[in-house]
């Protein structure tokens, strides 16, 4: 088991004071089936291991543990402005304060980071299919003081289109909001009445409709890389990775 954190640094043209990272499962102390850098407190892992893992992450990023704005994610559309007291039920956070970290936990759902080109505001969103369909990304874009044309986004590791099989009801839900969503679904060859969904394409569509055309990332599949990523759909009981964004002073 490696002791080094394997961090993904988003490849996007963010301003210098915008910092971002996405963790993998490597570099922590958790034991199977959460091995090893599990950052989720809600997945029945040993709390002491999670505390150590979070401390390692904070140290790696030269941040204080108190800077991380962890959320209790519920697949909804609520957004909070960081910093907040406690651990609010929300699926997105935003901040204009330097040193405050917007953090999202995932293990197949899509993490989305956003910032404005001036480097004055950042945000992170947990975009599972329910939240994505209900408008979580539109909520985040609307929270920016900058016009949407001045916002850029990065799509982090998530379940890829070759593995995200969904029922007719999921396709219908997206189609009811935007008929273009049909482009992100293909008929599943495995089960009649099911479709393969491209959550990256769906997110790009929703961001574009909200006025954000500068979208990066969207090429890391959690299911197909068990050595590097947690995947709830693949493994069931598993850990959680974090996708983070913050402003430097």
């Amino acid at each position: 088991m490696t002791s080094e954190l394997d961090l993904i640094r988003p490849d996007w043209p963010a301003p210098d004071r915008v910092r971002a990272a996405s963790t993998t499962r490597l570099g922590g102390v958790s034991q199977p089936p959460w091995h090893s850098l599990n950052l989720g407190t809600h997945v029945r892992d040993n709390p002491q291991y999670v505390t150590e893992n979070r401390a390692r992450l904070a140290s790696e990023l030269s941040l204080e543990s108190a800077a991380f704005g962890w959320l209790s994610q519920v697949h909804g559309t609520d957004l909070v402005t960081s910093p907040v007291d406690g651990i609010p039920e929300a699926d997105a956070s935003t901040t204009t304060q330097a040193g405050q970290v917007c953090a999202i936990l995932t293990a197949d759902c899509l993490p989305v980071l956003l910032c404005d080109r001036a480097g004055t505001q950042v945000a992170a969103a947990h975009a599972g299919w329910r939240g994505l369909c209900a408008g979580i990304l539109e909520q985040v874009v609307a929270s920016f003081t900058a016009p949407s044309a001045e916002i850029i986004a990065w799509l982090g590791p998530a379940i890829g289109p070759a593995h995200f099989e969904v029922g007719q009801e999921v396709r219908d839900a997206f189609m009811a909001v935007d008929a273009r969503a049909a482009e992100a679904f293909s008929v599943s060859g495995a089960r009649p009445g099911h479709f393969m969904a491209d959550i990256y394409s769906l997110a790009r569509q929703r961001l574009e409709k909200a006025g954000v055309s500068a979208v990066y990332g969207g090429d890391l599949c959690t299911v197909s890389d068990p050595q590097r990523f947690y995947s709830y759909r693949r493994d069931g009981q598993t850990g959680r990775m974090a996708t983070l964004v913050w402003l430097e002073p």
Side-chain angles (χ1 to χ4, degrees):
M1 185 179 299
T2 180
S3 60
E4 296 182 2
L5 273 65
D6 173 29
L7 297 181
I8 297 165
R9 302 288 185 170
D11 183 12
W12 62 338
D16 288 343
R17 71 183 300 241
V18 174
R19 304 297 170 85
S22 188
T23 68
T24 65
R25 69 185 301 165
L26 304 176
V29 298
S30 292
Q31 302 301 302
W34 304 276
H35 52 296
S36 64
L37 191 69
N38 168 46
L39 299 166
T41 59
H42 63 294
V43 295
R44 297 169 59 189
D45 190 7
N46 185 319
Q48 293 181 338
Y49 293 161
V50 180
T51 298
E52 171 61 21
N53 290 339
R54 289 185 173 188
R56 289 187 178 200
L57 175 62
S59 176
E60 180 73 17
L61 297 175
S62 299
L63 294 166
E64 298 294 328
S65 294
F68 290 77
W70 302 109
L71 305 175
S72 176
Q73 298 165 192
V74 293
H75 296 273
T77 60
D78 285 347
L79 174 146
V80 295
T81 300
S82 183
V84 295
D85 293 329
I87 304 176
E89 284 193 355
D91 286 272
S93 62
T94 184
T95 191
T96 58
Q97 295 191 29
Q100 295 294 326
V101 182
C102 296
I104 295 297
L105 293 172
T106 61
D108 280 337
C109 290
L110 175 63
V112 182
L113 302 181
L114 302 96
C115 71
D116 63 353
R117 293 187 183 277
T120 64
Q121 185 175 353
V122 294
H126 166 239
W129 79 260
R130 290 178 179 83
L132 181 59
C133 187
I136 183 67
L137 296 185
E138 290 90 335
Q139 288 276 78
V140 176
V141 172
S143 75
F144 275 77
T145 56
S148 54
E150 292 300 310
I151 298 171
I152 64 175
W154 182 76
L155 311 181
I159 185 170
H163 297 280
F164 193 21
E165 186 181 63
V166 299
Q168 179 77 47
E169 72 283 358
V170 176
R171 183 177 184 272
D172 289 347
F174 278 98
M175 291 282 290
V177 179
D178 187 350
R180 288 193 313 150
E183 300 170 5
F185 292 88
S186 59
V187 176
S188 171
R191 287 197 292 172
H194 286 72
F195 297 85
M196 305 308 295
D198 187 340
I199 199 167
Y200 298 126
S201 292
L202 290 166
R204 289 189 180 97
Q205 288 176 357
R206 302 302 284 268
L207 287 166
E208 182 181 345
K209 196 171 183 179
V212 179
S213 58
V215 182
Y216 302 85
D219 55 359
L220 294 171
C221 175
T222 49
V223 180
S224 61
D225 192 348
Q227 297 303 314
R228 201 177 192 201
F229 298 122
Y230 295 119
S231 168
Y232 180 79
R233 179 162 291 212
R234 183 190 63 227
D235 299 328
Q237 190 172 36
T238 191
R240 296 294 186 271
M241 301 166 294
T243 301
L244 319 155
V245 65
W246 68 99
L247 293 167
E248 288 289 318

